[in-house]
């Protein structure tokens, strides 16, 4: 056999080996682009064909706790695959969202104030219709995927979306600004401080005029930081750094058994609150992650995120099938059990939203995928889409 023929055969064998290796390694993948696409086009609440037909009474809570998760998953899917169809699906939805601010609809952002602001009030959802309130967490949740879209367009030179990106950046900035007032901020020291809830609604709204709850501020910080980065401004930087210092130095506790961090909802002076549930903890952590990974803040280091990731081993007990899951990131004193079955745990599926921490510990992906495989039948389509989008994005990253 000539050397030339041997080289051709060798190249062919190498190529065949690579292809077979790829197929073998991917044949058992559960969370895939194809699964995401199939679920996305079957869901109705936030699909491109149904979106404009949503209830006109929708307010901040529906957009924050419904749409934003699906919207973020579309951005994640583009970042993971480069397929522009996800951005094309996203644009008309963001357009619609901005036509439904309180300002556009003439809705009072806070009852009896005559203020109709460029954000989204809850339409009295959390006060049984007694008082409209516009929460920083809602504004953060809604604008975050929109600002991630802007960042995606700018960083990838997607000129066909440039005009929309510029428009969305301006409108997001107007929304975020309503929560960044001097009377809504408190310095604890030269290096620490935190946001305070709007004073409107005192006596009616639990966070009015009080130090913000961690998960309600974390995602607002993330959106504000991303806005500053994209806008080339320094509006929020000092307060974000002080907030991150406060979280790291005053709220975090260390669990030596799992080499992990845990924390309470908030801590005012010496009053320690109950440990955060794993649903709200995903919001807390995702805000910190965005600030570190996509904005560039360095208060939290890679080693800190590894300790956050170690919570996965603490939260999931996969010695049982299906696995049992903690309700809280640390056992509360009043709890009789540590781990709970799906029927007894309202936060059971939220652990699947922690997959972005796989960036710091690859074994997290296996934990998440195995848990998804055993529990997906009981999950809603929205839960599946947001967890699959996060997983595919993080694994690709």
């Amino acid at each position: 056999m000539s050397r030339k023929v041997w080289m051709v055969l060798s190249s062919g064998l190498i190529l065949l080996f690579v292809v077979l290796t790829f197929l073998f390694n991917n044949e058992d993948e559960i969370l895939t682009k194809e699964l995401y696409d199939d679920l996305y086009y079957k869901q109705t609440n936030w699909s491109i064909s149904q979106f404009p037909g949503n209830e006109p009474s929708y307010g901040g809570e529906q957009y924050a706790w419904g749409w934003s998760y699906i919207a973020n998953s579309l951005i994640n899917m583009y970042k993971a695959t480069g397929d522009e169809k996800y951005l094309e699906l996203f644009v008309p939805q963001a357009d619609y969202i901005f036509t439904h601010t309180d300002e556009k609809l003439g809705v009072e952002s806070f009852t009896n104030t005559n203020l109709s602001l460029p954000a989204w009030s809850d339409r009295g959802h959390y006060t049984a219709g007694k008082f409209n309130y516009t929460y920083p967490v809602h504004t953060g949740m809604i604008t975050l995927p929109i600002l991630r879209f802007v960042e995606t367009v700018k960083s990838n030179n997607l000129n066909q979306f440039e005009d929309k990106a510029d428009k969305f950046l301006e409108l997001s900035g107007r929304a975020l600004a309503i929560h960044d007032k001097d009377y809504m901020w408190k310095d604890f020291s030269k290096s620490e401080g935190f946001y305070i809830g709007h004073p409107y609604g005192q006596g009616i709204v639990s966070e009015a005029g009080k130090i913000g709850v961690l998960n309600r501020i974390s995602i607002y910080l993330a959106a504000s930081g991303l806005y500053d980065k994209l806008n080339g401004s320094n509006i929020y930087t000092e307060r974000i750094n002080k907030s991150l210092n406060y979280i790291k130095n005053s709220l975090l506790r260390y669990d030596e058994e799992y080499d992990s961090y845990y924390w309470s909802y908030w801590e005012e002076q010496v009053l320690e609150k109950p440990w955060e549930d794993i649903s709200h903890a995903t919001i807390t952590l995702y805000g910190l992650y965005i600030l570190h990974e996509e904005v560039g803040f360095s208060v939290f280091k890679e080693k800190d995120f590894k300790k956050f990731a170690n919570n996965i081993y603490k939260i999931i007990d996969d010695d049982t099938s299906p696995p049992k899951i903690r309700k809280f990131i640390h056992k509360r004193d009043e709890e009789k059990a540590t781990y709970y079955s799906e029927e007894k745990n309202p936060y059971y599926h939220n652990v699947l939203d922690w997959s972005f921490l796989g960036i710091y510990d690859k074994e997290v992906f296996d934990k998440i995928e195995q848990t998804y495989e055993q529990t997906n039948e009981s999950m809603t389509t929205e839960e599946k889409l947001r967890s699959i989008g996060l997983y595919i994005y993080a694994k690709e990253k």
Side-chain angles (χ1 to χ4, degrees):
M1 183 182 297
S2 69
R3 182 180 180 185
K4 185 175 182 180
V5 172
W6 172 250
M7 289 177 67
V8 170
L9 287 173
S10 297
S11 299
L13 288 170
I14 291 171
L15 178 61
L16 178 62
F17 175 78
V18 170
V19 170
L20 289 174
T21 300
F22 174 83
L23 291 173
F24 178 78
N25 288 337
N26 288 276
E27 65 179 346
D28 294 327
E29 288 284 332
I30 298 168
L31 306 179
T32 63
K33 178 179 184 290
E34 291 72 26
L35 175 60
Y36 178 92
D37 288 350
D38 181 60
L39 289 169
Y40 183 85
Y41 289 110
K42 285 180 179 178
Q43 61 100 16
T44 57
N45 284 351
W46 304 108
S47 68
I48 190 59
S49 59
Q50 296 294 322
F51 192 93
N54 279 334
E55 289 291 329
S57 61
Y58 276 14
E61 75 283 356
Q62 285 93 354
Y63 296 137
W65 309 123
W67 176 75
S68 76
Y69 285 116
I70 304 302
N72 224 19
S73 73
L74 289 171
I75 304 304
N76 286 333
M77 290 302 294
Y78 171 79
K79 285 179 174 289
T81 68
D83 192 335
E84 292 180 8
K85 73 179 182 184
Y86 298 112
L87 303 183
E88 291 165 356
L89 289 168
F90 179 90
V91 168
Q93 298 182 21
D95 265 332
Y96 180 88
I97 290 288
F98 281 121
T99 65
H100 281 65
T101 62
D102 294 348
E103 182 181 61
K104 290 291 186 180
L105 298 179
V107 173
E108 273 193 308
S109 298
F110 304 97
T111 302
N112 296 325
T113 62
N114 291 319
L115 293 173
S116 293
L117 300 171
W120 305 266
S121 66
D122 73 331
R123 313 288 180 86
H125 176 80
Y126 295 104
T127 57
K130 296 177 181 178
F131 194 91
N132 282 7
Y133 198 81
T134 305
Y135 294 85
V137 65
H138 290 168
T139 304
M141 289 291 291
I142 295 166
T143 58
L144 183 62
I146 295 172
L147 289 165
R148 294 184 77 222
F149 166 83
V150 176
E151 187 278 331
T152 298
V153 170
K154 301 290 186 183
S155 62
N156 291 280
N157 297 315
L158 301 174
N159 297 328
Q160 68 272 37
F161 298 113
E162 191 74 31
D163 289 344
K164 289 294 185 183
D166 290 340
K167 173 188 173 184
F168 293 164
L169 180 61
E170 177 190 356
L171 295 175
S172 295
R174 293 187 66 218
L176 291 167
I178 72 171
H179 307 288
D180 186 47
K181 308 297 181 184
D182 288 343
Y183 61 84
M184 292 180 60
W185 174 262
K186 183 174 182 179
D187 277 316
F188 302 136
S189 68
K190 289 183 178 180
S191 61
E192 294 185 23
F194 215 54
Y195 279 96
I196 297 172
H198 284 275
Y200 309 114
Q202 287 185 331
I204 304 173
V205 179
S206 62
E207 73 175 34
K210 297 179 181 178
I211 297 295
V213 176
L214 176 55
N215 58 72
R216 296 181 192 171
I217 300 300
S218 175
I219 212 73
Y220 174 74
L221 296 174
S224 300
L226 197 51
Y227 173 79
D228 259 356
K229 176 184 176 182
L230 293 166
N231 194 49
S233 56
N234 203 29
I235 298 168
Y236 300 97
T237 302
E238 181 181 358
R239 287 180 174 175
I240 291 173
N241 272 315
K242 286 185 174 182
S243 296
L244 292 175
N245 284 331
Y246 168 62
I247 294 168
K248 187 172 184 177
N249 299 330
S250 298
L251 291 182
L252 293 189
R253 301 288 182 269
Y254 177 66
D255 184 345
E256 186 175 355
E257 180 181 357
Y258 289 92
D259 187 27
S260 65
Y261 289 138
Y262 63 101
W263 55 93
S264 55
Y265 280 91
W266 73 97
E267 188 174 75
E268 194 171 353
Q269 297 175 343
V270 296
L271 184 62
E272 192 172 84
K273 306 300 179 181
W275 311 122
E276 196 167 47
D277 66 72
I278 66 168
S279 173
H280 288 102
T282 63
I283 304 169
T284 296
L285 286 179
Y286 194 64
L288 300 181
Y289 163 80
I290 292 291
L291 285 169
H292 174 76
E293 198 71 30
E294 298 191 8
V295 184
F297 281 84
S298 58
V299 172
F300 286 94
K301 314 295 183 185
E302 297 287 313
K303 63 181 181 180
D304 294 314
F305 283 95
K306 178 64 170 68
K307 287 181 172 59
F308 286 132
N310 285 343
N311 274 288
I312 295 292
Y313 306 104
K314 178 179 180 178
I315 290 170
I316 300 174
D317 177 14
D318 52 10
D319 289 336
T320 61
S321 182
K324 290 186 176 182
I325 307 291
R326 286 181 185 251
K327 290 182 180 180
F328 308 101
I329 57 173
H330 199 66
K331 190 175 185 296
R332 292 183 174 181
D333 291 341
E334 72 274 13
E335 286 188 280
K336 293 181 179 180
T338 302
Y339 295 95
Y340 300 84
S341 63
E342 182 179 11
E343 295 76 20
K344 297 181 179 179
N345 189 347
Y347 316 118
Y348 189 84
H349 296 136
N350 291 110
V351 71
L352 299 174
D353 299 329
W354 289 50
S355 59
F356 60 91
L357 293 171
I359 292 169
Y360 310 100
D361 179 357
K362 292 181 180 180
E363 291 185 19
V364 165
F365 293 125
D366 292 334
K367 283 277 189 180
I368 294 296
E369 190 161 0
Q370 292 167 13
T371 303
Y372 178 90
E373 185 177 20
Q374 296 184 61
T375 63
N376 78 87
E377 292 300 323
S378 56
M379 294 169 66
T380 67
T381 301
E382 287 184 6
E383 287 174 329
K384 292 179 181 180
L385 286 171
R386 75 193 196 199
S387 62
I388 294 169
L390 266 174
Y391 177 92
I392 293 174
Y393 155 78
K395 198 163 188 182
E396 178 64 26
K397 186 174 178 65

